[in-house]
Amino acid sequence: MTFESSKTLGGVGALLMFIGVFPYINYFGIIELIGAILVLAALHGFARIYKENGIFDNALYGIITGIVGVVLSVAIGIAIILPNIKDFLIKLYPSWNGDWSTITSLSGMTPNTSNISFGDFIPFITAAIVVIATLWIFAIIATFLFRRSLKQLSARTNVGLFSTTGLLLLIGAVLIILFGLGLLLMWIATLILAIAFFTMKPQETQPPTTATATPQ
């Protein structure tokens, strides 16, 4: 993979990640996923060009960490909610017999909220807290690794915007608990990443030094 092709892949991928959040453009995260794959391919290319494996490895580990975090969060949420959902539905719909094969019949029943107390919501609140906390921790770890990748690329290319992108992603992950602010920073970071890729220039090859003869 050449310098220009890696540069183009990275810039286009970052732009796809940036515009993927807009309605009618993103379909179930596919646009952002394609963008992330293109950025990862670009980092792989630059890792080979600059002979710096960490540029690709850290980014790959970051993405894997993020995927593991999402899968683990979903598994934890299901493990907490599943044992309690049936009892909750029986309280909400007293006429339901508890048979999962007749779950579709709930749409024709009138819920009875008088049987529901705050204690019945505790398992669901607990699941939400645990899932959010798990996602938060893994997001911080993932962006920390991705920042290491971008810092290495920044050092090799002398493009400071890569380092800025990594820092914004990490700060955004830390502040993601505040939802709007953290996600906004991470979204802005993808645009800065695209600019960083498109402004890259090949490093000029240094001319070989010639030894000067010392006069006798």
Side-chain angles (χ1 to χ4, degrees):
M1 188 178 294
T2 65
F3 180 92
E4 287 298 327
S5 62
S6 297
K7 171 183 173 179
T8 303
L9 283 177
V12 172
L15 278 180
L16 288 177
M17 294 172 66
F18 177 74
I19 67 174
V21 301
F22 292 109
Y24 308 110
I25 295 178
N26 193 4
Y27 297 95
F28 304 103
I30 294 177
I31 298 298
E32 290 182 326
L33 177 60
I34 293 173
I37 293 173
L38 292 179
V39 169
L40 193 61
L43 294 176
H44 180 265
F46 287 122
R48 299 189 65 178
I49 291 171
Y50 294 111
K51 295 180 174 57
E52 186 76 45
N53 292 333
I55 294 174
F56 174 73
D57 292 344
N58 284 313
L60 180 62
Y61 297 152
I63 291 178
I64 292 174
T65 300
I67 294 173
V68 171
V70 171
V71 173
L72 183 61
S73 299
V74 172
I76 291 174
I78 293 175
I80 296 176
I81 292 175
L82 201 57
N84 299 282
I85 187 66
K86 185 175 182 178
D87 293 337
F88 180 81
L89 290 175
I90 290 175
K91 284 187 177 182
L92 189 60
Y93 299 94
S95 57
W96 184 48
N97 59 9
D99 186 359
W100 288 112
S101 63
T102 61
I103 188 67
T104 55
S105 64
L106 295 181
S107 59
M109 298 181 185
T110 302
N112 184 1
T113 56
S114 62
N115 295 330
I116 303 298
S117 64
F118 177 76
D120 295 316
F121 290 100
I122 290 180
F124 305 103
I125 296 173
T126 301
I129 293 174
V130 173
V131 167
I132 292 174
T134 304
L135 285 172
W136 185 38
I137 293 171
F138 275 84
I140 292 175
I141 298 173
T143 52
F144 173 77
L145 291 169
F146 204 78
R147 185 196 177 204
R148 289 180 62 181
S149 167
L150 294 179
K151 283 185 69 176
Q152 289 174 300
L153 183 59
S154 178
R156 286 289 189 172
T157 61
N158 294 321
V159 178
L161 288 179
F162 284 118
S163 183
T164 302
T165 299
L167 181 60
L168 283 178
L169 287 173
L170 182 58
I171 294 175
V174 172
L175 297 179
I176 204 170
I177 200 76
L178 302 178
F179 293 102
L181 180 58
L183 292 176
L184 178 62
L185 287 176
M186 298 178 79
W187 180 57
I188 293 173
T190 59
L191 178 60
I192 297 176
L193 180 61
I195 296 172
F197 275 119
F198 286 129
T199 56
M200 292 177 69
K201 295 180 180 178
Q203 293 181 347
E204 295 182 0
T205 304
Q206 298 295 328
T209 57
T210 56
T212 304
T214 304
Q216 298 295 329

